[in-house]
Amino acid sequence: EVQLLESGGGLVQSGGSVRLSCAASGFTFSNYAMSWVRQAPGKGLEWVSSITDSGDTTYYADSLKGRFTISRDNSKSTLFLQMNSLRAEDTAVYYCRTDIVLVPASLDFDYWGQGTLVTVSS
Amino acid sequence: QSVLTQPPSASGTPGQRVTISCSGSNSNIGSNFVFWYQQLPGTAPKLLIYRINQRPSGVPDRFSGSKSGTSASLAISGLRSEDEADYYCAGWDDRLSGVVFGGGTKLTVL
């Protein structure tokens, strides 16, 4: 069974940093591009960042470049999101997912974690 | 403001056919695949349609996707109460080099 389990969310002060993790199991993690998508309370989905299967190439939403860094450890089947200089508007549930939009060849291998809430207090 | 434009709301009665639109541009819908997601309250999004019009196994054939030029549509036929949810379109944008989502459409089954 494919599972994606996010962790690392919580309450953080404005200007602070958080590192999210996403532990993957049930599939060959190193074969799939991954991404982070966030959803502010009561709002829609917002793409944050994607990374290729090897980790060689990363992509970021323009509004987040320079503050967020995506990475992965294929030996540990884990995806990361380092979030710095956090602002109140970064408050959201952060989902990790297999990225079939970046790599349509992955067809319908679309899986999401349950999400982890990051709350940035001002 | 989202790169892909969806109507904020849609509605229908049980058994009806409802269509949700997703408008983009040449750099996204016009040149790439379109994906559709359903999100029930408090849950992660679920893939409904991939590669414009393909359904994952387990998704009823009441759901269908299409694309014409720089716009895409999700059609739901034989509307059921359990279809009441938020629906999002998504795709890759060549100009932005990133994934773009529509703002979402809240479907109400009257």
Side-chain angles (χ1 to χ4, degrees), chain A residues 39 44 47 97 101 104 108 110, chain B residues 35 37 39 50-51 88 91 99:
Chain A
Q39 187 169 35
W47 173 72
R97 61 180 284 252
V101 177
D108 63 348
D110 184 87
Chain B
F35 302 78
Y37 292 89
Q39 186 178 34
Y50 66 103
R51 288 189 160 193
Y88 297 89
V99 177

Side-chain angles (χ1 to χ4, degrees), chain A residues 47-109:
Chain A
W47 173 72
V48 171
S49 180
S50 296
I51 187 168
T52 54
D53 54 359
S54 64
D56 287 350
T57 305
T58 57
Y59 305 87
Y60 297 93
D62 282 345
S63 61
L64 302 174
K65 280 179 186 173
R67 294 196 299 127
F68 289 13
T69 303
I70 191 172
S71 62
R72 63 192 296 162
D73 183 338
N74 284 344
S75 68
K76 296 181 178 178
S77 297
T78 304
L79 177 72
F80 302 101
L81 184 68
Q82 178 68 41
M83 306 163 61
N84 298 330
S85 303
L86 285 164
R87 308 164 182 166
E89 54 264 36
D90 295 318
T91 294
V93 173
Y94 286 75
Y95 295 100
C96 88
R97 61 180 284 252
T98 54
D99 197 334
I100 65 169
V101 177
L102 173 60
V103 184
S106 296
L107 301 180
D108 63 348
F109 197 82

